[in-house]
Amino acid sequence: MSGNVQLLNDTLAAAKSEGRAALIAYLPAGFPTVDGGIEAVKAALDGGADVVEVGLPHSDPVLDGPVIQTADGIALRGGVRIADVMRTVREAHAATGKPILVMTYWNPIDRYGVERFTAELAEAGGAGCILPDLPVQESALWREHADKHGLATVFVVAPSSKDARLAEITAAGSGFVYAASLMGVTGTRESVGAQAEDLVRRTRATTDTPVCVGLGVSNAAQAAEVAGFADGVIVGSAFVKRMLDAPDDAAGIEGVRALAADLAKGVRGQA
């Protein structure tokens, strides 16, 4: 069975044709529970997200800040497994018809088996993977299997990336390019900053693949700012914080839905 890279491409192209950036939400699988996590992903999509990244909880993250680390810890203590991540993708995609990616560090895939992971993600209806710690020069095996199964390979670029490095990364990736707006880990911030706009400009000079910006966006005004220069706006910690701060799971899920609706206005210039 083929994955949904084409659905991802079409979704990003449709947002562009509407003259707006896409809204991409991030939520970890298994948080607050596996079932609760699935409902949260569906709520983000129902609220207005175009795409969701489902995080594969990891005990030793390099990109995730304290908010997502807290949620990952809850999921890991709850016994979340890769099978639960695949179930999250399957049920959320089946319920909404929207593209779902997995964001994961390389070690779990390496241990699980690249062929097994890509085949199962495609079978679940997944659109691809974001791989923040897989170096492009070591990615040939992954890309071979991802291409075979119709999955996007999304790499992360940073403000420190030199132009030649950007060209190398964008030539190998597909779906979209994840532009980290600043050096550091995920988390909400007061401003996203000029670094992000410069990184998008430099990245676009190397590729026609959409460039989506993450790290720091937490409200509609920031989403509108980033939507002014990027093809997509990625929001993670703000969604997770809604869940963590809620008095119960149901309230958290409604908080995710409400935030998605607010951010959707932002990317449409209606904030």
Side-chain angles (χ1 to χ4, degrees), residues 133-152:
D133 67 341
L134 177 63
V136 169
Q137 61 271 25
E138 297 175 21
S139 68
L141 177 66
W142 164 265
R143 287 187 286 126
E144 174 192 338
H145 288 288
D147 290 348
K148 181 172 79 171
H149 289 291
L151 299 169

Side-chain angles (χ1 to χ4, degrees), residues 25 27 39-41 43-45 47-48 218 235-263:
L27 287 158
E39 291 307 310
V41 171
L45 292 164
S218 61
V235 181
S237 295
F239 281 112
V240 176
K241 197 168 187 306
R242 288 286 178 108
M243 298 286 290
L244 286 169
D245 291 349
D248 55 52
D249 292 355
I253 289 163
E254 284 312 304
V256 165
R257 193 188 315 274
L259 179 59
D262 193 40
L263 293 165

Side-chain angles (χ1 to χ4, degrees), residues 91-160:
E91 295 192 14
H93 172 65
T96 64
K98 293 187 178 182
I100 317 284
L101 299 100
V102 169
M103 185 165 184
T104 179
Y105 298 101
W106 181 244
N107 181 260
I109 295 177
D110 191 40
R111 294 190 62 168
Y112 198 71
V114 176
E115 168 60 22
R116 181 184 176 197
F117 190 94
T118 51
E120 290 184 8
L121 182 55
E123 188 274 329
C129 247
I130 300 149
L131 300 158
D133 67 341
L134 177 63
V136 169
Q137 61 271 25
E138 297 175 21
S139 68
L141 177 66
W142 164 265
R143 287 187 286 126
E144 174 192 338
H145 288 288
D147 290 348
K148 181 172 79 171
H149 289 291
L151 299 169
T153 297
V154 179
F155 290 114
V156 179
V157 298
S160 60

Side-chain angles (χ1 to χ4, degrees), residues 26-29 31-32 57-58 61 63-77 105 185-189 215-218 235-246 256 259:
Y26 167 95
L27 287 158
F31 167 74
H58 194 269
L63 188 68
D64 302 313
V67 171
I68 292 173
Q69 284 187 40
T70 298
D72 278 3
I74 292 167
L76 290 167
R77 287 192 297 274
Y105 298 101
V185 296
T186 59
T188 62
R189 290 174 172 83
L215 272 67
V217 177
S218 61
V235 181
S237 295
F239 281 112
V240 176
K241 197 168 187 306
R242 288 286 178 108
M243 298 286 290
L244 286 169
D245 291 349
V256 165
L259 179 59

